[in-house]
Amino acid sequence: MQLIPQYKWRNWNDNLACTADLYRPRGLHELREAVRQAGRKGRIRPLGNSCSWSPLVPTRGSLIDLGQLRGMHETSYDGAPAIRVEAGATVRDLVQFTQARGLTLITPTIFQDISVGGAIAVAAHGTGLRTSTMSDEVVAMTLVDARGEVHHLSAADGPLFDAARCSLGALGVVHDVTMRCWPEFHLHVEDRMIAVDDVLGGLPDLLATYEFVELYWFPFTETMWCKLMRRTEEPDAGATLADRLKFAFTYACTFASCNGVLPLLGRVAPELTPAFMQLAPRLSMTPGCAVAPASRAFHYQRAYPRCWDMSYGVPLADAEPAWRRTIGLIEHLARAASFPVNMVVHARFIGPSAALLAPAHGRAICDLEVVTTRSARDADVFYEQWSAEMLAIAGARPHWGKYLLHPRAVRERYPQMDAFLAHRAALDPRGLFLNDWLEDAVFQLRP
Ligand SMILES: Cc1cc2nc3c(=O)[nH]c(=O)nc-3n(C[C@H](O)[C@H](O)[C@H](O)COP(=O)(O)OP(=O)(O)OC[C@H]3O[C@@H](n4cnc5c(N)ncnc54)[C@H](O)[C@@H]3O)c2cc1C
């Protein structure tokens, strides 16, 4: 097993760092040994692809990097297709593996560079009210506890399994999960610009008509980009040359805007943000309809600049007020000549989750995220005020992996938190799988 002493770890967005011994196991046996060795020295954090903004990973103990564990094979669950995948595989690995076998995942993240272990740990998701998060697609898992013992968990383990399906890496290290898959189906995809009031006023109808809905609002514009997808029997016409050119054009524009123009604007001329935002929809999407296999339709986005991203899941009934509070805040700050949001506000819709600590636990949610460049002036002020606006909604819960302020306000929003902590204490009585942030702010285990 590879061990890198005093490894200098930084996260994807470069807002977090720590120095820790890094273990790189290559199989279950080495993973158990890594937990035992690291556990003798102090605390342990499992590590995926370091894409989280919140301080889930930084530790004064050791890191166990799952990056060498990326194997997968096809299996079945209850007669339906499933994939057993090791936790270090990326969502991209998994998407490619399923695509090649005529299968698709439901609710995968759009961004594919995150690891399966990291996605499950925070109940990551795509969109779709008929299903829920990636954690809810997990039907079995292999978990190594603080003593290095192996647990094979499934629905038969009841609430313990629902604790492990979104554990924030605080129950042990997940070695592999078995995820349900679906025979590939086709989606009819409509990209439309619709007036903001029509979208928000007609949300129930939109959600009843389309199985998969995503909404994008570029600040200071009057319309929303609506990505509306429903299943169809129509054949995949394949991408025409015109489609490929359109895709290349929007990709180039998004890449240049996100990596060049917007960061510069945010730093030197934020007052030009409203004007640039009028162009943003035209540069980011082309209205139209297409038929595509689901696994291709879900992964339409390619350009991912480093950015700030905060996201809250609000009960479905609060989706419209949450949107209006968000738009209202951005416009209110603009009247005071402050333009902290220069990328996009994005909404997805997710069904109730069984995972005890999933933001969607127990009810369907609208996941609303606000994304801005790292250089945007007053982004910290905006996120402070937006957190207050979202926390004023009784059932709102933040995404665990995104930028997260006020973690102490979160515990009381999870009715199953005590049950989760009881399972945690049973598997890890010495608190090896904690860091200071989880222990003090999130779980509030120290007075
Ligand atoms: C550009 C971008 C786009 C994103 N898009 C989406 C999206 O569409 N939907 C969404 O829901 N989220 C999204 N996210 C957030 C992302 O899903 C989470 O931050 C996720 O946890 C990152 O996974 P990771 O592999 O980088 O894990 P890390 O950030 O390395 O770790 C996150 C947590 O997972 C734990 N963990 C990792 N591996 C294991 C394991 N094997 N066993 C136990 N615990 C483990 C860690 O201990 C930590 O607590 C996005 C993030 C980025 C940067």
Side-chain angles (χ1 to χ4, degrees), residues 251-269:
Y251 173 72
C253 290
T254 313
F255 188 86
S257 308
C258 294
N259 291 295
V261 180
L262 288 170
L264 187 68
L265 214 63
R267 211 167 29 244
V268 302

Side-chain angles (χ1 to χ4, degrees), residues 144-347:
V144 175
D145 73 12
R147 287 168 299 140
E149 299 300 328
V150 175
H151 300 256
H152 298 288
L153 302 176
S154 67
D157 296 288
L160 170 59
F161 182 54
D162 292 333
R165 286 205 273 181
C166 170
S167 70
L168 312 182
L171 249 57
V173 189
V174 175
H175 173 270
D176 63 78
V177 297
T178 302
M179 286 189 75
R180 245 184 334 205
C181 302
W182 304 72
E184 180 83 279
F185 52 87
H186 286 178
L187 287 175
H188 184 270
V189 184
E190 293 171 44
D191 286 298
R192 285 162 54 190
M193 297 303 298
I194 306 179
V196 170
D197 283 338
D198 291 346
V199 177
L200 297 184
L203 214 42
D205 284 348
L206 219 53
L207 294 170
T209 310
Y210 298 93
E211 185 176 351
F212 307 101
V213 172
E214 290 190 46
L215 307 175
Y216 290 88
W217 179 67
F218 297 95
F220 316 111
T221 60
E222 303 294 321
T223 52
M224 279 190 191
W225 166 17
C226 304
K227 188 167 259 304
L228 309 170
M229 301 184 267
R230 58 179 167 77
R231 293 180 200 235
T232 179
E233 298 297 322
E234 291 171 59
D236 170 18
T240 62
L241 180 62
D243 292 334
R244 285 176 213 273
L245 288 173
K246 268 195 292 188
F247 181 81
F249 174 75
T250 48
Y251 173 72
C253 290
T254 313
F255 188 86
S257 308
C258 294
N259 291 295
V261 180
L262 288 170
L264 187 68
L265 214 63
R267 211 167 29 244
V268 302
E271 64 283 0
L272 296 181
T273 304
F276 190 81
M277 286 292 121
Q278 306 307 314
L279 288 176
R282 263 164 270 170
L283 299 178
S284 314
M285 58 85 73
T286 32
C289 297
V291 173
S295 54
R296 202 166 78 216
F298 289 146
H299 299 286
Y300 54 92
Q301 207 166 316
R302 296 286 183 276
Y304 284 97
R306 305 292 190 264
C307 56
W308 290 113
D309 186 338
M310 180 181 279
S311 136
Y312 269 86
V314 301
L316 209 50
D318 292 310
E320 183 184 351
W323 260 109
R324 296 212 184 271
R325 280 170 184 259
T326 306
I327 293 173
L329 176 60
I330 292 171
E331 292 181 344
H332 167 77
L333 291 171
R335 284 192 287 279
S338 174
F339 306 94
V341 181
N342 61 14
M343 287 179 75
V344 78
V345 184
H346 178 208

Side-chain angles (χ1 to χ4, degrees), residues 9 11-13 45-54 56-57 64 66 87-88 108-126 143 167-175 304-305 307 309 346 348 367 369 399-402 438:
W9 173 85
N11 69 331
W12 176 85
N13 193 48
R45 292 304 290 148
L47 182 63
N49 266 354
S50 310
C51 290
S52 300
W53 283 263
S54 65
L56 283 165
V57 168
I64 298 185
L66 278 292
T109 56
I110 311 175
F111 184 57
Q112 297 185 56
D113 289 345
I114 62 185
S115 74
V116 169
I120 303 305
V122 301
H125 57 81
L143 179 83
S167 70
L168 312 182
L171 249 57
V173 189
V174 175
H175 173 270
Y304 284 97
C307 56
D309 186 338
H346 178 208
R348 287 176 283 185
D367 173 85
E369 67 179 323
H399 191 299
W400 291 112
K402 307 271 179 84
L438 285 173

